[in-house]
C-alpha cells in the first residue's frame, strides 16, 4: 500500500493544528484536532457515536437498496423498449433536475416526519444516478451483438442475460457507486427533523448547542462511513467487470 494517502492525511492534520495554534481561525469555529479526538472519545464512551453511525448507515442502506432496485428495473425497460421510454422518460427527465433536498417539505407532507419520509427521499435521490447509468448501458448494446445472438437462435431472455446485461454491467455498477454517495448525502439532510438518532440529527444538535468539536466528529464519521462503503463496494465488484477492461 502506498504511503502517500497516509502522508496527505498527516499533512492535513498538521496544517489544521497549526491554523488553530496560530489563531488563523477562531477556536469557536475550528476546534483543534486534540479537541475533536477528545469529543470522539466521549461520544464513543456514551454510545452515541456508534448508535448514530449505525442509524444513518441503516437508513442510507435501505434507501439505496429500494432506489437501486427500482432504477435498474426502470432503466432496463427504458433502455430496451421504445414504448417504455416514451411513457416513462419524459416524466423522469422533468423530475430529475429537482434536488431531492428540495422535496423534503413534500416528503414530510406525504409521509410525516418518521422513517417513511426518509426512505422516500433517499430512494428517490438514489434512483436517478442509477437509472441514468443503467438506461445508458442497456441502450448502448451494439446491434451487431444482438444480430449475432439472433442468428445463433438465442431467445430474447438468453440474449438479455448473456449479451445485453454483461455489456451494461460496467455502467450499472458506476451508477450504483454514485448512488452510495447520494444516499449518505440525503440521509444526513433528512435526519435533521423527526429523529433522535443519526449523524444528521447529531450534526444539527452540535450546531444548536455550539459544539464544533462534536460537529467535526460527526463529519469525520460520515466521511469514514462513506469511504468504507465505497471501498467495500469497489472491492466486491472490481473483478466483476475485469473482462470489460481487458477488451477495451
Amino acid at each position: 500500500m502506498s504511503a502517500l494517502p497516509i502522508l496527505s492525511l498527516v499533512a492535513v492534520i498538521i496544517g489544521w493544528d497549526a491554523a488553530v495554534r496560530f489563531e488563523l481561525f477562531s477556536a469557536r469555529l475550528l476546534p483543534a484536532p486534540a479537541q475533536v479526538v477528545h469529543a470522539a472519545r466521549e461520544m464513543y464512551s456514551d454510545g452515541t457515536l456508534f448508535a448514530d453511525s449505525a442509524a444513518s448507515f441503516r437508513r442510507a442502506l435501505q434507501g439505496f437498496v429500494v432506489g437501486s432496485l427500482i432504477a435498474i428495473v426502470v432503466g432496463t425497460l427504458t433502455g430496451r423498449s421504445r414504448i417504455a421510454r416514451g411513457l416513462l422518460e419524459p416524466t423522469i427527465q422533468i423530475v430529475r433536475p429537482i434536488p431531492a433536498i428540495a422535496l423534503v417539505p413534500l416528503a414530510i407532507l406525504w409521509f410525516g416526519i418518521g422513517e417513511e419520509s426518509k426512505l422516500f427521499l433517499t430512494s428517490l435521490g438514489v434512483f436517478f444516478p442509477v437509472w441514468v447509468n443503467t438506461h445508458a448501458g442497456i441502450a448502448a448494446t451494439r446491434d451487431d451483438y444482438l444480430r449475432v445472438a439472433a442468428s445463433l437462435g438465442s431467445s430474447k431472455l438468453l440474449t438479455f442475460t448473456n449479451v445485453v446485461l454483461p455489456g451494461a454491467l460496467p455502467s450499472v455498477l458506476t451508477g450504483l457507486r454514485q448512488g452510495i454517495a447520494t444516499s449518505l448525502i440525503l440521509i444526513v439532510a433528512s435526519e435533521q427533523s423527526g429523529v433522535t438518532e443519526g449523524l444528521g440529527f447529531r450534526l444539527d444538535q452540535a450546531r444548536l448547542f455550539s459544539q464544533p468539536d462534536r460537529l467535526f466528529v460527526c463529519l469525520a464519521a460520515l466521511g469514514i462511513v462513506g469511504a468504507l462503503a465505497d471501498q467495500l463496494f469497489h472491492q466486491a465488484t472490481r473483478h466483476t467487470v475485469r473482462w470489460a477492461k481487458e477488451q477495451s
Side-chain angles (χ1 to χ4, degrees):
M1 180 183 293
S2 173
L4 288 177
I6 297 175
L7 290 175
S8 68
L9 289 174
V10 171
V12 168
I13 294 173
I14 292 174
W16 172 9
D17 188 65
V20 175
R21 288 181 183 275
F22 290 105
E23 299 183 348
L24 299 179
F25 294 92
S26 169
R28 293 179 301 171
L29 303 178
L30 183 66
Q35 291 178 279
V36 176
V37 171
H38 179 70
R41 288 176 177 171
E42 288 184 341
M43 294 174 70
Y44 176 79
S45 297
D46 62 24
T48 57
L49 183 58
F50 179 79
D52 289 334
S53 299
S56 293
F57 179 77
R58 171 178 52 79
R59 294 186 183 111
L61 181 62
Q62 290 172 346
F64 172 75
V65 171
V66 173
S68 296
L69 288 176
I70 297 173
I72 290 172
V73 172
V74 175
T76 300
L77 291 174
T78 57
R80 291 291 295 160
S81 169
R82 291 183 180 178
I83 296 175
R85 186 180 306 175
L87 290 173
L88 299 174
E89 189 172 8
T91 302
I92 294 173
Q93 294 293 8
I94 290 172
V95 178
R96 188 164 68 93
I98 302 174
I101 294 175
L103 297 175
V104 170
L106 180 64
I108 293 175
L109 179 64
W110 282 0
F111 302 103
I113 60 175
E115 297 294 331
E116 292 82 2
S117 61
K118 291 154 185 56
L119 179 61
F120 169 76
L121 281 172
T122 311
S123 302
L124 184 65
V126 169
F127 171 87
F128 292 112
V130 179
W131 172 81
V132 167
N133 284 276
T134 302
H135 171 85
I138 295 290
T141 305
R142 291 174 53 174
D143 290 337
D144 53 343
Y145 289 174
L146 298 176
R147 287 194 293 268
V148 169
S151 67
L152 294 174
S154 176
S155 65
K156 289 185 178 181
L157 179 60
L158 286 176
T159 299
F160 177 77
T161 55
N162 294 333
V163 178
V164 177
L165 189 58
L169 193 56
S171 294
V172 175
L173 293 178
T174 298
L176 290 172
R177 198 170 180 183
Q178 293 173 357
I180 292 173
T182 302
S183 67
L184 289 170
I185 292 171
L186 293 174
I187 206 61
V188 170
S190 66
E191 281 180 342
Q192 295 186 12
S193 62
V195 295
T196 57
E197 63 176 357
L199 292 173
F201 165 76
R202 203 63 59 183
L203 275 168
D204 199 45
Q205 291 291 299
R207 176 188 63 83
L208 287 172
F209 294 103
S210 298
Q211 298 172 315
D213 50 353
R214 291 196 167 221
L215 191 149
F216 271 77
V217 172
C218 294
L219 292 176
L222 279 170
I224 292 171
V225 169
L228 285 175
D230 180 76
Q231 284 304 307
L232 286 172
F233 181 83
H234 175 63
Q235 293 299 322
T237 60
R238 65 191 179 96
H239 297 296
T240 306
V241 292
R242 178 183 292 177
W243 56 268
K245 296 180 181 178
E246 294 172 350
Q247 288 183 347
S248 60

